[in-house]
Amino acid sequence: MTWPLEDDAAWRPVRQHWSLPEGLTYLNHGSFGLPTRAVIQVQGQYLDRAAAEPMDFFVRELEPELIAARDRLADFVGADRGNLVFVENATYGMNVVAESVGLAAGDEVVMTTHEYGAVFRIWHRKCEEVGARVVEAKLPPRLESSDEIVDAVLAALTPKTKLVVFSHITSATAMKLPAERITRAVQDRGVAVCIDGPHAPGILPLELDALGCEYYTAVCHKWLSAAHGTGFLYVHPQVQSTVRPSLLSWGRVQPAVPETWQDEFTWTGTRDMATYLSLPAALDFLAEFGWETLRRRTHYLARYARESIANLTGHDALIPDEEDWYGAMITMPLRNDGRPWVEFRDTLRSRFQIEALVYDVNEQRFIRTSCYLYNTKDDVDHLVEALRVLLY
Ligand SMILES: Cc1ncc(COP(=O)(O)O)c(C=O)c1O
């Protein structure tokens, strides 16, 4: 089926594939994506199997199915099947990298000023532990060219830089960063690269082996609409021997013993494995729409949100209006009406049944609108009307 990109009537029924309550305008898939009903169903089947016959499930059935799901994901992100492991989320993946890079006293880790707060915390703590330091590559407030991003990262490098960490698509500011260019430029200076990619799978076509970064961590519970707790860590073959899971367990399901870096992540203790095992159902569901359709429709809506919010406020986004700069999310400046941002966010929910990300940087307020396949222009219109009532 060919999906008419701009025809909301065709898209309205799509919402039934998610269990969103009626009346809720959910524009925050970027913070917490929600699994499709198909994923929840498959997840439930695996949970039932584990609950009814744990011995059979964990000991005999799990490992081959887990490896098949992992291989499917590796194929999807353009990675050799030996270069990727499942982890619960990007947070876990980033912690593994922090423990594996061999950071020592005097080393520097470069991060852009747009990195995710929890990722800053991971690197600050690790640096403090060993006497290293985080160096911020400051991006200009308004961006016009990707050269500005590459230049800012390169300007932060020194002979002490051990690693550069940057998002493939930033979280709060929702910008696509030029990952290939940054990776090449940084590696040319002999420095390793770790990409924080939770917003990329589904939104950007990934070819991780070709990208060539040392580490890439991401989640499938955002733009792939998989179960919460489904993430992955990609590690380049050159550094695999140094990578270890943050939690040491048997590695493989007994009596097998771990032989490769990847094996160490297969069994990290008894837990809910249905998250990983239901990932193929998420990929199947989206493949039916087509990956290009997913990207084009969600960008179309994000662009509509950009225009509509700018028309209301008179303030445009901080990045050019091009697909190279943003995908399914757009961050817009808003008038700060003096209410704390949490109160403003929660008023959108309590008065208008709208969920969106609101935050302040210094005194400037921003709103990030995330658009997914269950959204229509009606959702954006409802948000804009709510902003008009609250702010004007
Ligand atoms: C850029 C970025 N990095 C890391 C994370 C952490 O993801 P998780 O909480 O699933 O570990 C997020 C979550 O929103 C994110 O946006």
Side-chain angles (χ1 to χ4, degrees):
M1 170 174 177
T2 315
W3 287 90
L5 208 61
E6 305 184 7
D7 179 5
D8 272 3
W11 285 96
R12 259 180 219 113
V14 169
R15 183 178 164 115
Q16 72 193 330
H17 293 292
W18 286 266
S19 41
L20 282 167
E22 216 184 309
L24 179 66
T25 298
Y26 195 69
L27 291 165
N28 202 4
H29 199 86
S31 287
F32 300 106
L34 34 144
T36 59
R37 288 186 195 275
V39 166
I40 296 167
Q41 195 193 356
V42 173
Q43 204 182 355
Q45 288 162 359
Y46 280 112
L47 284 172
D48 287 348
R49 275 165 65 183
E53 283 219 63
M55 186 65 190
D56 231 21
F57 177 74
F58 284 120
V59 173
R60 300 187 189 95
E61 294 173 17
L62 172 69
E63 200 171 283
E65 291 206 37
L66 193 64
I67 291 171
R70 190 183 70 193
D71 288 348
R72 175 96 190 267
L73 179 61
D75 295 348
F76 177 71
V77 299
D80 183 275
R81 292 177 170 188
N83 293 349
L84 176 146
V85 291
F86 274 131
V87 290
E88 289 179 23
N89 46 44
T91 302
Y92 189 101
M94 193 58 77
N95 273 278
V96 170
V97 178
E99 292 308 316
S100 305
V101 286
L103 214 55
D107 286 344
E108 292 175 353
V109 176
V110 167
M111 302 172 70
T112 82
T113 38
H114 289 224
E115 296 315 312
Y116 187 68
V119 173
F120 270 121
R121 280 169 57 87
I122 293 166
W123 287 103
H124 275 291
R125 188 176 79 170
K126 187 68 211 169
C127 285
E128 271 164 31
E129 257 171 47
V130 300
R133 72 183 189 110
V134 170
V135 174
E136 292 189 14
K138 194 168 175 357
L139 303 187
R142 190 170 285 279
L143 284 139
E144 298 296 340
S145 143
S146 58
D147 291 348
E148 293 168 307
I149 301 169
V150 179
D151 291 349
V153 171
L154 291 183
L157 299 186
T158 74
K160 295 177 186 165
T161 313
K162 177 97 182 179
L163 184 75
V164 170
V165 180
F166 67 90
S167 301
H168 209 164
I169 300 178
T170 63
S171 174
T173 49
M175 275 187 227
K176 292 180 182 174
L177 298 190
E180 289 79 8
R181 288 190 59 199
I182 301 175
T183 302
R184 290 295 155 270
V186 166
Q187 288 177 335
D188 280 352
R189 309 278 181 99
V191 174
V193 168
C194 173
I195 301 181
D196 186 29
H199 293 284
I203 297 300
L204 294 171
L206 294 178
E207 290 295 337
L208 296 186
D209 281 332
L211 181 56
C213 57
E214 277 76 4
Y215 311 95
Y216 192 107
T217 185
V219 300
C220 308
H221 49 244
K222 290 190 194 285
W223 302 97
L224 295 178
S225 239
H228 299 145
T230 317
F232 69 86
L233 172 66
Y234 166 92
V235 182
H236 192 281
Q238 276 172 0
V239 287
Q240 285 169 2
S241 62
T242 60
V243 167
R244 307 184 330 175
S246 297
L247 294 173
L248 187 68
S249 183
W250 293 107
R252 294 279 305 275
V253 176
Q254 292 274 292
V257 289
E259 286 168 11
T260 68
W261 78 283
Q262 215 178 9
D263 289 344
E264 290 288 2
F265 290 80
T266 302
W267 182 266
T268 54
T270 311
R271 47 154 289 163
D272 169 11
M273 293 289 189
T275 51
Y276 303 139
L277 297 171
S278 56
L279 174 66
L283 294 174
D284 288 343
F285 177 83
L286 293 176
E288 270 194 39
F289 283 91
W291 299 103
E292 202 45 37
T293 305
L294 166 68
R295 281 168 209 136
R296 292 181 55 218
R297 169 69 180 169
T298 56
H299 181 69
Y300 169 76
L301 290 175
R303 187 154 193 259
Y304 180 71
R306 175 187 182 133
E307 280 169 8
S308 308
I309 297 172
N311 282 342
L312 175 78
T313 62
H315 298 291
D316 198 4
L318 304 177
I319 48 173
D321 188 6
E322 287 160 23
E323 219 169 322
D324 281 355
W325 281 93
Y326 68 106
M329 306 188 288
I330 188 72
T331 295
M332 300 295 290
L334 272 193
R335 188 166 78 75
N336 187 339
D337 64 354
R339 271 181 260 223
W341 64 265
V342 176
E343 193 186 318
F344 189 82
R345 179 196 67 190
D346 291 348
T347 304
L348 281 175
R349 178 68 170 92
S350 58
R351 273 186 66 186
F352 302 95
Q353 289 74 51
I354 296 170
E355 292 285 12
L357 181 78
V358 176
Y359 66 94
D360 289 352
V361 176
N362 304 322
E363 298 290 287
Q364 176 63 60
R365 179 147 302 166
F366 292 94
I367 187 161
R368 188 190 70 187
T369 310
S370 304
C371 303
Y372 206 51
L373 297 177
Y374 49 71
N375 291 118
T376 60
K377 282 183 282 183
D378 300 341
D379 295 328
V380 174
D381 294 342
H382 183 43
L383 171 66
V384 172
E385 178 56 16
L387 295 176
R388 194 188 61 72
V389 170
L390 291 175
L391 296 176
Y392 296 97

